[in-house]
Amino acid sequence: MTESIATILLVDDNPGMIQLMGQLLRGQGQLRFAPGGIAALKQLRSQPIDLVLLDAEMPDLDGFGVLREMRADPELAEVPVIFVTGHSDPEVEVRGLESGAMDFIAKPINPPLLLARVRTQLRLKRLSDELRANARVDALTNVANRRHFDEVLSREWRRAEREGTPLSLLMFDVDHFKKYNDRYGHPAGDGCLRAAATVMRELVSRPGDLVARYGGEEFAMLLPNTEQDGADLLATRLVERIRDLAIPHEASTTDAVVTISVGVATRAGLEPIRPDGPQALTECADAALYAAKHAGRCQAWTQLLGEPGTLRPVQPSRETVTP
């Protein structure tokens, strides 16, 4: 696996200090620069950053204020910060460490010390990222697990509310899966779930889309910035692709092969703000999934969040789907 290049954000209101640190850290990663705390937060919220070297004293928003904002933001809370300060007072260092800084570097900067501490924090960040990535994956199917799905759903819901964009959720499970396990055995059942998960991953191509194992034989697919029509097309394609696998299921009362049922829920872009949004979207998709099962399985049903009267079956289509 190719190791990704780290991105380091240098924050200081002194252009000379920015230039010096940039020269010393050349080759350690992709360098970004911010002349103050407010500009630093803007960059942090617009692109992934692996390490921040942060001046403690700045006129607009000092380093302590930046760090406080970062630790309060779930998307920035794990980004490591090294304070760079001209203070030699131990109380300042203690305050920084208690606020969540990982390390301190005193001005004037000692080049070998700067390089050593930056390399240490980047190495720790890589290890931490690997551990978190492993903790987010379902071991059987190699898609996201339920915990990671819940985290991403909450984050994407907040983003959709903030930006006024649509958000779609597909919930689906394997029809008559208990009968499949009883007939063919659990190892075959595991293989069936892995095959279904592979199809799901192949059908999504955007970086923001997420496929997750929700529990047992149930899966979820989260589609940010996707209208109902796009989600419906993907749902029908998913039903067709799983059936096309032609995995025998002689115990099924729906078909002679493995099939799935799908429920689609969509938050419209102008949906009013609601604190129970993630749970409501999941319940909406669950209701559509229940309708698909009640109608005979091996099909998809859809509805708009907050509009029960929109619940309807999705018409099958053999179109290629790019949501």
Side-chain angles (χ1 to χ4, degrees):
M1 180 183 296
T2 303
E3 189 174 285
S4 60
I5 299 175
T7 302
I8 305 170
L9 177 62
L10 309 179
V11 187
D12 202 301
D13 62 325
N14 182 340
M17 182 58 64
I18 287 278
Q19 185 177 18
L20 174 62
M21 289 194 295
Q23 291 172 348
L24 294 174
L25 295 175
R26 187 174 298 154
Q28 301 305 308
Q30 196 170 38
L31 302 181
R32 295 284 184 268
F33 309 96
I38 294 175
L41 288 172
K42 184 176 181 180
Q43 288 209 45
L44 283 160
R45 287 167 175 154
S46 64
Q47 60 186 315
I49 300 293
D50 295 296
L51 175 64
V52 181
L53 271 67
L54 182 62
D55 185 20
E57 292 187 341
M58 292 178 290
D60 60 346
L61 180 64
D62 67 13
F64 296 101
V66 173
L67 189 55
R68 185 168 55 251
E69 292 281 337
M70 290 177 64
R71 297 302 176 247
D73 187 332
E75 296 184 38
L76 303 179
E78 301 298 329
V79 179
V81 171
I82 298 177
F83 259 130
V84 182
T85 177
H87 282 286
S88 57
D89 188 344
E91 291 184 4
V92 175
E93 185 170 347
V94 169
R95 181 186 171 197
L97 294 173
E98 288 181 343
S99 299
M102 303 302 294
D103 208 341
F104 250 83
I105 295 176
K107 298 177 183 178
I109 288 176
N110 180 309
L113 184 62
L114 174 69
L115 285 172
R117 293 188 170 176
V118 165
R119 288 168 178 166
T120 295
Q121 291 304 323
L122 290 177
R123 183 169 63 253
L124 292 173
K125 175 68 162 49
R126 280 194 294 270
L127 292 172
S128 178
D129 287 347
E130 289 174 6
L131 289 172
R132 277 196 294 271
N134 290 335
R136 294 169 178 167
V137 175
D138 176 65
L140 176 64
T141 60
N142 204 35
V143 298
N145 60 21
R146 171 68 181 275
R147 178 179 178 180
H148 186 46
F149 167 79
D150 289 340
E151 292 172 352
V152 175
L153 173 59
S154 178
R155 183 171 69 240
E156 291 298 340
W157 178 269
R158 293 195 303 270
R159 189 196 309 275
E161 284 191 328
R162 186 169 63 246
E163 299 177 359
T165 53
L167 178 65
S168 290
L169 172 63
L170 278 60
M171 301 289 291
F172 38 89
D173 64 17
V174 179
D175 295 328
H176 309 294
F177 187 68
K178 184 179 183 303
K179 292 181 179 180
Y180 186 92
N181 271 338
D182 291 343
R183 180 65 176 267
Y184 300 99
H186 289 281
D190 290 347
C192 174
L193 294 180
R194 282 193 291 267
T198 297
V199 169
M200 296 167 199
R201 288 198 306 270
E202 290 173 348
L203 281 177
V204 293
S205 56
R206 302 179 307 177
D209 296 338
L210 180 73
V211 176
R213 187 180 180 192
Y214 196 74
E217 72 275 20
E218 190 169 10
F219 292 83
M221 187 179 290
L222 188 62
L223 305 172
N225 202 22
T226 301
E227 300 280 3
Q228 186 180 32
D229 288 348
D232 289 351
L233 283 171
L234 185 57
T236 58
R237 185 61 173 156
L238 188 59
V239 170
E240 293 162 358
R241 284 286 301 276
I242 295 296
R243 190 176 184 280
D244 287 347
L245 291 175
I247 300 173
H249 191 351
E250 296 175 357
S252 172
T253 55
T254 299
D255 205 321
V257 296
V258 168
T259 60
I260 62 169
S261 300
V262 185
V264 182
T266 299
R267 174 203 184 276
L270 300 178
E271 183 77 14
I273 293 176
R274 51 189 303 172
D276 66 335
Q279 178 182 349
L281 189 66
T282 302
E283 291 174 352
C284 183
D286 266 334
L289 175 58
Y290 176 82
K293 292 180 179 180
H294 187 72
R297 304 179 191 261
C298 191
Q299 57 189 284
W301 280 59
T302 185
Q303 68 175 325
L304 290 171
L305 178 62
E307 301 182 28
T310 63
L311 181 64
R312 59 173 174 78
V314 180
Q315 295 303 314
S317 170
R318 285 284 172 176
E319 297 179 44
T320 300
V321 177
T322 305

